[in-house]
Amino acid sequence: MRTIIEFRNISKSFGDVLAVDDVSLTINEGEFFALLGPSGCGKTTLLRMLAGFETPSRGTILIDGRDITRTPPNRRPVNMVFQSYAVFPHMSVLQNVEYGLRMDGVAAAERRARAREALAQVKLEALEARMPDQLSGGQRQRVALARAIVKRPRVLLLDEPLSALDAKLREELRFELSDLQDRLGITFVMVTHDQDEALALATRCAVMHKGSLLQVATPADLYEFPSSRLVADFIGSVNLFEGHVIADESDHAVIDLPEHGARAWLDHGVGVSETVTVWLAVRPEKVELHKRGHGTPPPEIEGTPAGYNVLAGTIRDIAYLGSESVFDVALESGQRLRVIRPNLTRWDQEDFIWDEPVWVAWHAEAAAVLLQ
Amino acid sequence: MSAAPRETSWSGQKGAFLALLGPPLGWFLLFFAAPLAVVWAYSFGTNVGAAEIAISGTFANYARALEPLYLGILAKSVGIAALATLICLLLGFPVALAISFAAPQARIWLLIGIMLPFWTNLLIRTYALIAVLRDEGLVNTALASLADALGLPFAPLRMINTNVAVIVGLVYVHLPFMVLPIYAALDRMDRTLIEASLDLGAGHLRTMFAIVIPLAAPGIAAGLLLTLVPALGSYLAPDLLGGPNSQMIANVIERQFKRANDWPFGAALSFMLVYLTFLILALRPLLARKGAGA
């Protein structure tokens, strides 16, 4: 894969605030790359430095191997879709889309043809004569998209592209965006605080926190193999247990969880010293619930020796969400655990009730071990 | 009618509505509409004694107002006011732009600076301008010492009692009326539009003409009117700063009411100015439409 964007040791401070702290990152041609993180993590600053609206305090940015760190925005081969869309209110839809081509001195006939083609790409060809105040939010978003792609940029930048739309429209546009990227083959770089959006759209994500990159990986790797508690917690929800490694072989490991008077069994070695504190991370949908009433013994878990990966608890709350139910389980240690069960049959949700004693259990391959 | 339920809308309560509207409406009728109506009636009257006017319904006063002498003064007034307005626009737009892009804490002080002259009486400010512009004034003294330092010959610039002084005075007095509405328009503008324009390949200058100025058009139109209309009826600046050849229409009107004691003709001239102002106000929607439809 060919590198298209390279951030080299980029830092940016505003006064005393360090917004971006020594970030190095490469993005490949044709990727749909997402910068993901909570507000204030520096992701927008990074995108704005790529667009040319901010200048890095330190470091260099390269596009196609060319240093563009100090190139003004109008001379960069990138175009941006703004969070507020920034559609020019005094120009029609067509004039908006033609604007960038007019600035490049493209002849009128070609300009019009290309603008119409871009409007067709976003299914807006019927509205070319409308003024922006006659458009819905979703339509304005499409104008902003068409206006950016008509210039055939090397990289398309998207700043929270779907955040201002309602849930239904967001889902619809999500599919359209990834479809559009497939068709155009342009590299997309998107900023979002919405992990679902990032997981659904991106081929690769960078998770940012306080100006630094925490992890850069594919959505599936971020979810299943998070590198830290912060990432595990930011992408989806996670149950964390603090403990120490007490056995570490090539085919299994055992982690002591002193707070819970229990031990966890993993189906792989972890290569971690016994003296350091580790955290066992288990996703809510990977935890099983079993009945515990009337002296029911702990369940047997396939591939795990008896007595491991099982904890006793009581259901404290149930949120029925239709496709699944979310259980809040109080463990005997006092820690709360989140368990998600898909409602596979129509009577399934009747199975567990409030204040019911349960066993919670997970498979040997279900948990990740985190060092930080 | 608004969609609000009748019983919750205070404007639907006749008593409350009249109680609130009554005093200002009465004030307006008694002190504005009525005197204006009297003057309007005078404009169709004839002098029959030293202090007696008969409302004869004659158009003679208007006929006289349309004589080349007076039309010429009216045209000159329009010219001077228009030139002053144009200078206000050229000076005021960059100022408004600079204020709207200043740091938020600095903005309030800059706006106070723009409005500061209003805290002084117009007459005093105009006399102060005389001190600046006269032959031995601040400008000429400064230029003289500069010429002296450079060893150049110097003759004082003749500014006072000329049209130049009148225009300087008008620009000085009316500049805030240009800056404030343009500032308000620029302040409302979404800044990401400028970034979007730069992002799409426009330089700063093209962004200014393609995005910023069209979007500030309503403010510019308001500023033009707020400057042009009062400048057209200016009395003090031409009276104190201008010479015998820089009389504007307000000075001629004043003479009719005072020295010439010809109230009917003065009234007719006054209403010529009022009609002209109406005409300019009628042009406003046209101006606004042109600005919005660029």
Side-chain angles (χ1 to χ4, degrees), chain A residues 48 74 79-80 90 99 151, chain B residues 195 197-200 206 210:
Chain A
R48 288 174 61 79
N74 50 332
N79 286 108
M80 180 133 149
H90 58 301
Y99 185 83
K151 294 204 61 177
Chain B
E195 287 187 346
S197 172
L198 295 173
D199 185 70
L200 290 167
R206 296 180 84 176

Side-chain angles (χ1 to χ4, degrees), chain A residues 48 51 53 73-74 78-80 82 84 86-91 95 99-100 102-104 147-148 151, chain B residues 190 192-204 206-207 210-212 214-215 291-294:
Chain A
R48 288 174 61 79
F53 301 134
N74 50 332
V78 303
N79 286 108
M80 180 133 149
F82 291 84
S84 62
V87 173
F88 302 130
H90 58 301
M91 296 183 194
Q95 285 170 330
Y99 185 83
R102 214 169 76 213
M103 294 306 138
D104 289 351
R147 190 175 68 175
K151 294 204 61 177
Chain B
D190 179 6
T192 47
L193 294 175
I194 295 173
E195 287 187 346
S197 172
L198 295 173
D199 185 70
L200 290 167
H204 284 277
R206 296 180 84 176
T207 299
I211 307 295
V212 179
L215 289 175

Side-chain angles (χ1 to χ4, degrees), chain B residues 10-50:
Chain B
W10 64 267
S11 62
Q13 307 270 331
K14 266 207 170 116
F17 190 64
L18 283 179
L20 287 170
L21 186 65
L25 188 65
W27 182 274
F28 173 80
L29 287 174
L30 191 63
F31 295 109
F32 177 72
L36 205 65
V38 169
V39 176
W40 188 67
Y42 281 168
S43 72
F44 299 102
T46 330
N47 273 322
V48 290

Side-chain angles (χ1 to χ4, degrees), chain B residues 177-191:
Chain B
F177 296 106
M178 183 65 84
V179 172
L180 294 177
I182 295 178
Y183 165 75
L186 290 173
D187 194 46
R188 272 196 307 271
M189 188 179 63
D190 179 6
R191 292 295 151 81

Side-chain angles (χ1 to χ4, degrees), chain A residues 178-200:
Chain A
S178 85
D179 186 46
L180 190 69
Q181 204 245 348
D182 279 347
R183 268 185 287 142
L184 298 174
I186 298 175
T187 307
F188 280 28
V189 178
M190 170 177 76
V191 151
T192 181
H193 68 276
D194 182 341
Q195 33 137 331
D196 290 340
E197 205 168 292
L199 296 188

Side-chain angles (χ1 to χ4, degrees), chain A residues 175-317:
Chain A
F175 285 111
E176 273 185 42
L177 264 184
S178 85
D179 186 46
L180 190 69
Q181 204 245 348
D182 279 347
R183 268 185 287 142
L184 298 174
I186 298 175
T187 307
F188 280 28
V189 178
M190 170 177 76
V191 151
T192 181
H193 68 276
D194 182 341
Q195 33 137 331
D196 290 340
E197 205 168 292
L199 296 188
L201 283 169
T203 51
R204 226 152 50 98
C205 293
V207 181
M208 288 189 75
H209 181 74
K210 291 185 177 163
S212 301
L213 290 181
L214 291 179
Q215 191 174 0
V216 183
T218 63
D221 280 355
L222 281 182
Y223 190 78
E224 305 294 357
F225 304 98
S227 65
S228 64
R229 283 179 292 159
L230 276 168
V231 173
D233 196 41
F234 190 72
I235 310 283
S237 59
V238 70
N239 298 301
L240 293 166
F241 302 102
E242 198 176 325
H244 304 277
V245 177
I246 54 173
D248 193 359
E249 306 295 331
S250 64
D251 64 337
H252 78 277
V254 176
I255 293 171
D256 185 38
L257 310 173
E259 275 178 51
H260 306 279
R263 285 172 176 190
W265 181 277
L266 287 112
D267 67 348
H268 56 84
V270 289
V272 175
S273 153
E274 297 182 6
T275 54
V276 297
T277 304
V278 296
W279 286 270
L280 199 67
V282 193
R283 296 288 185 189
E285 76 282 0
K286 295 183 175 68
V287 181
E288 296 172 0
L289 283 184
H290 298 273
K291 300 268 181 187
R292 188 163 64 90
H294 310 295
T296 312
E300 282 181 27
I301 308 153
E302 206 189 311
T304 307
Y308 290 90
N309 294 4
V310 174
L311 297 168
T314 309
I315 292 176
R316 286 291 174 229
D317 202 359

Side-chain angles (χ1 to χ4, degrees), chain B residues 43 64 75 94 116 139 222 262 267 285 294:
Chain B
S43 72
R64 198 177 147 207
L116 207 57
V139 173
D262 191 350

Side-chain angles (χ1 to χ4, degrees), chain B residues 42-245:
Chain B
Y42 281 168
S43 72
F44 299 102
T46 330
N47 273 322
V48 290
E52 203 179 334
I53 295 160
I55 311 297
S56 52
T58 175
F59 283 92
N61 298 313
Y62 284 104
R64 198 177 147 207
L66 288 171
E67 280 170 15
L69 173 65
Y70 298 106
L71 270 187
I73 290 175
L74 197 61
K76 186 176 180 184
S77 303
V78 172
I80 288 180
L83 190 58
T85 303
L86 188 71
I87 294 171
C88 278
L89 178 65
L90 295 179
L91 291 176
F93 187 85
V95 172
L97 196 68
I99 297 176
S100 75
F101 277 95
Q105 314 91 286
R107 228 176 284 166
I108 183 77
W109 292 107
L110 291 169
L111 285 173
I112 288 175
I114 291 290
M115 288 184 280
L116 207 57
F118 286 136
W119 300 353
T120 319
N121 182 285
L122 176 61
L123 192 62
I124 293 171
R125 279 186 283 152
T126 310
Y127 273 112
L129 263 184
I130 294 177
V132 173
L133 296 175
R134 68 195 156 105
D135 292 354
E136 308 82 30
L138 285 176
V139 173
N140 276 321
T141 322
L143 285 175
S145 45
L146 186 70
D148 203 33
L150 296 171
L152 297 168
F154 177 76
L157 287 177
R158 182 100 189 113
M159 286 175 294
I160 200 74
N161 300 337
T162 67
N163 291 342
V164 173
V166 176
I167 288 172
V168 168
L170 290 180
V171 168
Y172 164 64
V173 170
H174 294 100
L175 197 54
F177 296 106
M178 183 65 84
V179 172
L180 294 177
I182 295 178
Y183 165 75
L186 290 173
D187 194 46
R188 272 196 307 271
M189 188 179 63
D190 179 6
R191 292 295 151 81
T192 47
L193 294 175
I194 295 173
E195 287 187 346
S197 172
L198 295 173
D199 185 70
L200 290 167
H204 284 277
L205 203 64
R206 296 180 84 176
T207 299
M208 178 66 68
F209 284 100
I211 307 295
V212 179
I213 291 177
L215 289 175
I220 293 173
L224 288 175
L225 275 184
L226 284 176
T227 309
L228 182 62
V229 171
L232 190 54
S234 280
Y235 169 77
L236 266 184
D239 190 51
L240 295 179
L241 302 171
N245 285 327

